[in-house]
């Protein structure tokens, strides 16, 4: 196999082994509705084998950022249907990443009375509101045991809406310090019920969410993203033995489900931890090295050629090069990312990067 060879991911065939990493772009309107420029952005990148959208909130309470899109209302679902149609018209494949922001938000962003997390522990630092004002992160409500089913069912309803809107599948966001990841870490999960206190208990809620989503839309349409020891947004995983035990427990619960894929963000995807988890998972694995992402053609080619992963998730190069796979196949030069336009705004730095000339 090679980076440019076709493969199958769950229930869908993809044209190559490059994946668009889910990257926050914040171009939805104030109501969380993705508009025409969002459809244009993903359709431009349909030459990438597997597109994964930025994190999409499954409930008002879980919205992490102004400008983030949702999949809660009919208007949001209709906006996403146009995205799916635009991607499919270009022959592409697209999964929607479902992301509950957990404590990485503020009531002035969500418009709700509270934000939620496994435990009532706030993140240190500040977040930015829609008007640009910075405010300290709020202390979240610690979800009661009987409230977990509601949060789980929000993921299920969002997955159903995504598939009904035409998406090929969904990716559960279990990484980068958001709600599902918060359950995995002893730094953010200090619960005393059956969902905290041990690696197996901390992994339980993530597994239950995956099981419920699979029951709703089928395993071949469900992927999950994890980031062991990424240590971001106060979700600390610095004890190697504890981290290994937690993710081994997680994969032990996920592997029997037959998910479409496991996407892993880690600084050393070729290392022992990630390769052990890959073998335990037993299915398609996508690797990604972090916010810098796998940044060069040679790195991506090597990851597949050397058997480190089945697909490679690419971030920044795919922002700046809508025709990235064509450029890599031809060995052509690449556009550089305009960093100030990455998060939010209009078409500048979003859909205006040039394609190769014919």
């Amino acid at each position: 196999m090679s980076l440019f060879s076709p493969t199958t991911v769950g229930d869908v065939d993809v044209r190559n082994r490059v994946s668009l990493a889910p990257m926050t772009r914040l171009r939805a309107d104030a109501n969380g509705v993705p508009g025409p420029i969002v459809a244009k952005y993903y359709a431009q990148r349909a030459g990438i084998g597997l597109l994964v959208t930025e994190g999409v909130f499954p409930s008002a309470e879980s919205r992490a950022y102004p400008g983030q899109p949702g999949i809660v209302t009919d208007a949001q679902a209709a906006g996403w249907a146009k995205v799916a149609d635009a991607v499919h018209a270009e022959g592409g494949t697209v999964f929607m990443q479902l992301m509950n922001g957990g404590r990485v938000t503020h009531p002035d962003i969500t418009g709700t009375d509270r934000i939620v997390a496994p435990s009532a522990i706030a993140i240190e630092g500040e977040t930015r509101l829609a008007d640009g004002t910075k405010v300290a992160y709020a202390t979240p409500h610690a979800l009661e045991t009987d409230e977990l089913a509601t949060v789980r069912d929000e993921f299920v309803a969002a997955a159903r809406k995504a598939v009904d809107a035409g998406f090929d599948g969904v990716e559960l966001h279990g990484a980068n310090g958001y709600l599902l990841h918060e359950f995995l870490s002893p730094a953010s999960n200090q619960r005393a019920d059956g969902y905290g206190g041990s690696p197996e208990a901390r992994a339980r809620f993530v597994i239950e969410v995956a099981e419920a989503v699979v029951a709703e839309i089928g395993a071949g349409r469900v992927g999950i993203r994890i980031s062991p020891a990424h240590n971001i947004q106060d979700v600390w995983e610095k004890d190697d033995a504890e981290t290994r035990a937690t993710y081994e427990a997680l994969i032990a619960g996920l592997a029997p489900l037959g998910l479409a894929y496991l996407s892993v963000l880690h600084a050393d995807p070729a290392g022992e931890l990630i390769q052990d988890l890959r073998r335990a998972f037993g299915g398609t694995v996508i690797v990604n090295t972090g916010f810098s992402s796998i940044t060069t053609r040679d790195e991506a080619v090597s990851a597949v050629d050397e058997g480190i992963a089945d697909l490679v998730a690419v971030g920044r190069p795919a922002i700046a090069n809508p025709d990235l796979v064509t450029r890599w196949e031809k060995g052509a030069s690449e556009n550089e990312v305009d960093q100030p336009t990455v998060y939010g705004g209009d078409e500048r730095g979003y859909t205006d990067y040039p394609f190769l000339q014919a």
Side-chain angles (χ1 to χ4, degrees), residues 92-172:
T93 301
V94 60
F95 274 46
M96 179 186 292
Q97 188 188 66
L98 302 180
M99 173 185 134
N100 185 311
R103 62 184 185 164
V104 187
T105 188
H106 191 278
D108 288 345
I109 293 172
T110 64
T112 59
D113 293 334
R114 66 179 194 179
I115 60 173
V116 300
S119 302
I121 304 170
I123 305 176
E124 292 186 12
E126 298 176 319
T127 189
R128 191 182 298 272
L129 307 181
D131 64 2
T133 304
K134 289 184 177 181
V135 295
Y137 281 108
T139 299
H141 164 73
L143 287 161
E144 301 289 344
T145 305
D146 61 3
E147 292 177 315
L148 295 179
T150 299
V151 176
R152 178 201 65 205
D153 291 348
E154 290 167 353
F155 278 101
V156 173
R160 171 49 59 192
K161 282 186 169 68
V163 170
D164 287 350
F167 275 74
D168 298 294
V170 301
E171 176 179 286
L172 303 176

Side-chain angles (χ1 to χ4, degrees), residues 49-62:
L50 176 65
L51 303 178
V52 182
T53 72
E54 67 182 286
V56 179
F57 60 86
S59 66
E61 195 171 71
S62 64

Side-chain angles (χ1 to χ4, degrees), residues 11 35 93 168 188 195 202 282 294 330 357:
D11 289 346
T93 301
D168 298 294
S188 48
Y195 293 88
R202 291 196 306 274
I294 289 177
K330 293 175 181 258
Q357 297 300 309

Side-chain angles (χ1 to χ4, degrees), residues 214-236:
V214 164
E216 180 67 24
I217 65 170
R221 292 179 179 270
V222 182
I224 188 167
R225 185 165 173 84
I226 61 172
S227 58
H230 193 46
N231 295 315
I232 187 171
Q233 300 190 133
D234 286 8
V235 174
W236 307 116

